[in-house]
Amino acid sequence: MSRGRRPGARYASRMAGHPHSAGPVYHRGHAIAHTLGGPTDINLVPQLGSVNIGPFRRLEREAVATPGSFYFTYWS
């Protein structure tokens, strides 16, 4: 459940090298957005950059802006 925007900065040192990207096409995306309370390192997954900064980002922003909304991800 979204609790709105999580305060605080990310822990950059915990994100470093977790996982390494496969070139410019992939990002280290969060399965559950940091702004929604997702953890930093174990929560990072290789994700197509076009998805991470496109539809996924819009979904995350909507969940942050709508406290109480149900938010989940399914990875295969």
Side-chain angles (χ1 to χ4, degrees):
M1 300 300 278
S2 171
R3 295 188 187 127
R5 186 167 201 60
R6 174 187 182 167
R10 299 184 210 187
Y11 302 105
S13 64
R14 300 242 347 169
M15 292 174 55
H18 237 295
H20 293 293
S21 68
V25 175
Y26 287 91
H27 290 181
R28 293 177 302 153
H30 288 87
I32 301 294
H34 178 264
T35 55
L36 287 167
T40 305
D41 47 13
I42 199 167
N43 186 36
L44 292 171
V45 295
Q47 190 177 94
L48 280 172
S50 60
V51 173
N52 189 36
I53 62 172
F56 209 69
R57 183 170 290 170
R58 285 191 298 275
L59 178 64
E60 291 170 346
R61 287 180 176 164
E62 187 173 336
V64 168
T66 314
S69 63
F70 181 65
Y71 178 87
F72 74 99
T73 60
Y74 176 83
W75 297 83
S76 60

